[in-house]
Amino acid sequence: MPQATTKLNAFPVFMRVEGEAVAIVGGGEEALAKARLIAQSSAVLHIIARNAEPELLTFIAEAGAKHVAAAYDASQLEGAVMVFAASGDEALDRRVAADARRLGIPVNAVDRPDLCDFFTPALVNRAPVAIAIGTEGAGPVLAQMLRGRIDRMLSPSLGALAALAMSFRNAAERLPRGNVRRRFWSDFFGGAPARAVEAGDFSQAHEAATDLLLSDAPVHGRIALVGAGPGAEDLLTLRAHRLLMDADVIVHDALVPEAVVAMGRRDAERLPVGKRKGCHTKSQAEINALLVELGREGKRVVRLKSGDPLVFGRAGEEMAALRDASIAYEVVPGVTAAFAAAADFELPLTLRGVSSSMVFTTGHDLKGNSLPDWAKLAISGATVAVYMGRSVAAEVAGRLIEAGLSPDTAVAVVENASLTNRRRFHGTLADLPSLEARADLSGPVMTIIGDAVAGANFERSEALAAHRHESAPVAAAEGVQP
């Protein structure tokens, strides 16, 4: 089930204000702050204040704003497209808000969210590019902190690049819709034109954009096999995020949360291909064929896989199919579930003097008549990470004990590693079979076995033995040896 998205109570929009009147009622610091914000636009400022403070008067003179030096009256709001009640006087602010609403003008009352029709954002200005950050009035300081971070991330030349893009927009509209036009803009903002603007060479930037526009080179598809990580969207790599934002098509497994898929471009085609235990909507051969087909169509595709694509992700088969079809591809690693589970437990997967090697396996590797070659590594002290092993937990434990691993070997188990709804369990190899009876564990389960597990933090985990002992009387009543 995808997690429900919290609904916004205030929807962000950009209002045209060029040449329009914006009225600010107030003569002090609150009015000055709003005036400075609105002065970043091409609106005509009307400051309504009979007794404006000196700093505000200086601003009015420098900004060329209109000063209405009279006591407030509702008629002064007529013709405005926005009103700010910024007097600092609650009674006056309420009167201004009521008058504005009666006149059909949206109003913002400073520090009075209950009177606001809209909220002013923290603004990152790279005109004509603007990034507005809002908190619906709940956290202005948070909005300013985010503004500072975003401001540092964005190039000062971003506005100039956007202005150049505007000059090419009509010409680009003549390109065929779909991949060709999208590819032009992607190369424009991420290629030679952007680099030239960054260097301050606007003539070269214009020439590079023209070359892109006139290029008749065929559009080649490219597939990115991307690790989505264990579930938490903030564990996605920066490269993975960039590719998602550039993808025409996102082909994703069922275990990839909707929150991660949603990090892709909003208009990208999204193709779920299943891959849950016992429920595959497409066979691996069908997925391979789909990727080849999309590549031949010139699409930029992100094949989004849970965890890391090279760890039990069947990426080898997909890469072979793409190589055979001469389709370009790349692999972007992700945080595999074993690492996320270890982090959830603060568990050292290797520990000096205890364990210096690791084994990644699935529970099904321990089925059959013979033990896999790596079993002797477990016995000699390697840490074993078992993927998708809940349904065969008893067999895993039994085979390892049979091979000589002590029943007292430490075990850590995580359901939904990295997510806020994760659950942690700890115990010994002898306790592990109790996992199979846990019908309440519906999410992906990761099991880590080995002496290094003893160094984990078990403060927030449940004991496997507790469930093992709870189920024992039931088993005995049914005539089954616990």
Side-chain angles (χ1 to χ4, degrees), residues 129-476:
V129 177
I131 298 173
I133 304 125
T135 64
E136 298 183 8
V141 173
L142 173 61
Q144 290 296 337
M145 289 172 60
L146 294 173
R147 173 192 174 279
R149 293 181 191 177
I150 295 171
D151 198 34
R152 290 190 294 271
M153 289 168 55
L154 300 181
S155 167
S157 66
L158 185 61
L161 181 62
L164 179 64
M166 192 178 296
S167 71
F168 275 84
R169 183 165 182 173
N170 288 337
E173 290 294 316
R174 294 194 286 270
L175 293 172
R177 281 183 171 276
N179 288 344
V180 174
R181 190 183 301 179
R182 190 179 297 119
R183 192 67 53 88
F184 166 77
W185 286 120
S186 178
D187 292 342
F188 179 98
F189 289 114
R195 290 192 294 271
V197 169
E198 184 80 28
D201 191 339
F202 298 102
S203 175
Q204 177 59 36
H206 192 280
E207 184 178 329
T210 302
D211 290 343
L212 275 179
L213 192 65
L214 299 178
S215 174
D216 59 356
V219 175
H220 296 290
R222 186 172 183 85
I223 315 297
L225 307 180
V226 174
E233 59 266 34
D234 55 355
L235 287 179
L236 203 69
T237 65
L238 292 174
R239 185 183 300 179
H241 193 195
R242 175 176 57 79
L243 289 167
L244 276 170
M245 291 300 296
D246 196 38
D248 303 311
V249 184
I250 301 170
V251 179
H252 62 93
D253 286 344
L255 286 176
V256 178
E258 173 58 27
V260 174
V261 179
M263 294 176 77
R265 211 177 66 231
R266 188 164 49 186
D267 60 341
E269 184 179 4
R270 300 177 185 184
L271 302 177
V273 291
K275 292 293 189 183
R276 273 193 191 276
K277 181 182 175 183
C279 180
H280 291 187
T281 60
K282 285 188 181 294
S283 68
Q284 188 59 53
E286 288 173 326
I287 295 171
N288 296 347
L290 174 63
L291 295 178
V292 169
E293 178 185 355
L294 292 170
R296 284 175 174 163
E297 290 175 359
K299 301 288 181 68
R300 292 182 178 179
V301 180
V302 165
R303 171 70 173 105
L304 202 55
K305 294 170 172 286
S306 180
D308 183 283
L310 302 178
V311 180
F312 305 118
R314 303 187 73 169
E317 297 168 55
E318 294 173 8
M319 289 188 290
L322 293 169
R323 280 195 298 268
D324 291 344
S326 299
I327 304 294
Y329 68 87
E330 64 179 299
V331 180
V332 180
V335 177
T336 189
F339 295 155
D344 286 342
F345 259 108
E346 302 168 25
L347 186 165
L349 290 169
T350 59
L351 191 61
R352 187 169 58 178
V354 176
S355 177
S356 60
S357 57
M358 284 191 63
V359 173
F360 288 179
T361 184
T362 68
H364 302 284
D365 284 350
L366 284 166
K367 299 182 78 172
N369 297 322
S370 60
L371 283 166
D373 291 340
W374 59 258
K376 55 180 172 285
L377 291 174
I379 297 164
S380 64
T383 304
V384 179
V386 184
Y387 291 68
M388 303 168 288
R390 187 186 72 82
S391 62
V392 290
E395 190 156 7
V396 169
R399 296 302 303 278
L400 287 176
I401 291 171
E402 175 190 337
L405 195 61
S406 170
D408 294 327
T409 303
V411 169
V413 178
V414 183
E415 178 198 25
N416 295 321
S418 82
L419 297 175
T420 55
N421 64 338
R422 63 184 173 266
R423 297 172 66 190
R424 287 162 279 204
F425 307 90
H426 67 275
T428 65
L429 195 58
D431 301 323
L432 194 58
S434 66
L435 276 183
E436 287 192 38
R438 298 294 296 265
D440 58 318
L441 299 180
S442 56
V445 170
M446 187 78 221
T447 302
I448 302 177
I449 304 167
D451 293 334
V453 175
N457 182 352
F458 298 128
E459 289 182 4
R460 294 180 298 277
S461 68
E462 303 174 37
L464 285 169
H467 193 272
R468 176 186 176 198
H469 296 149
E470 286 170 8
S471 60
V474 176

